[in-house]
Amino acid sequence: MVADFILKYWKFLVAFGVILAIGALFIPNNIVSRIVEFTGFSILAVSAYVLGYKMATDEAEKYIKSEMEKLAKRDIRYKVASDRMIKNLKRKF
């Protein structure tokens, strides 16, 4: 749910996080600037984590498909197993 939102609007979240992180340099109050800076870097970190997980999931899916297609040429059971693995991989995200 939250990951879908981040994947949909990741460009805006990254821009917002950078603005907060850099904008904190111009706030004269030390405590408020630290809070704004921390918030900006937190948004960047969460966005990077979700995007990295999505990219790793996509790469794993491609690898599983390619390896199982090689095996499926020999036996149909591998085709069914690859479909199940990919379905479970997508369900966890």
Side-chain angles (χ1 to χ4, degrees), residues 23-61:
L25 297 172
F26 302 108
I27 298 175
N29 189 341
N30 195 17
I31 296 171
V32 174
S33 69
R34 297 289 175 169
I35 292 171
V36 171
E37 181 182 13
F38 178 74
T39 304
F41 283 122
S42 297
I43 291 170
L44 288 174
V46 169
S47 299
Y49 177 78
V50 170
L51 289 172
Y53 185 82
K54 176 65 175 156
M55 290 174 60
T57 304
D58 291 344
E59 289 298 318
E61 180 181 337

Side-chain angles (χ1 to χ4, degrees), residues 32-93:
V32 174
S33 69
R34 297 289 175 169
I35 292 171
V36 171
E37 181 182 13
F38 178 74
T39 304
F41 283 122
S42 297
I43 291 170
L44 288 174
V46 169
S47 299
Y49 177 78
V50 170
L51 289 172
Y53 185 82
K54 176 65 175 156
M55 290 174 60
T57 304
D58 291 344
E59 289 298 318
E61 180 181 337
K62 289 178 190 175
Y63 181 75
I64 290 170
K65 278 185 180 179
S66 68
E67 291 298 318
M68 286 298 183
E69 284 175 0
K70 291 176 190 174
L71 294 172
K73 290 178 183 176
R74 289 188 240 156
D75 193 354
I76 192 67
R77 291 178 293 176
Y78 291 112
K79 174 90 171 117
V80 174
S82 70
D83 292 339
R84 285 183 185 165
M85 281 191 284
I86 291 170
K87 185 173 82 173
N88 288 334
L89 189 68
K90 286 183 178 182
R91 185 174 54 195
K92 290 184 181 183
F93 185 71

Side-chain angles (χ1 to χ4, degrees), residues 5-28:
F5 177 80
I6 291 173
L7 287 173
K8 189 173 183 180
Y9 299 109
W10 71 270
K11 293 178 184 177
F12 298 114
L13 289 172
V14 169
F16 185 65
V18 168
I19 289 170
L20 285 177
I22 293 174
L25 297 172
F26 302 108
I27 298 175

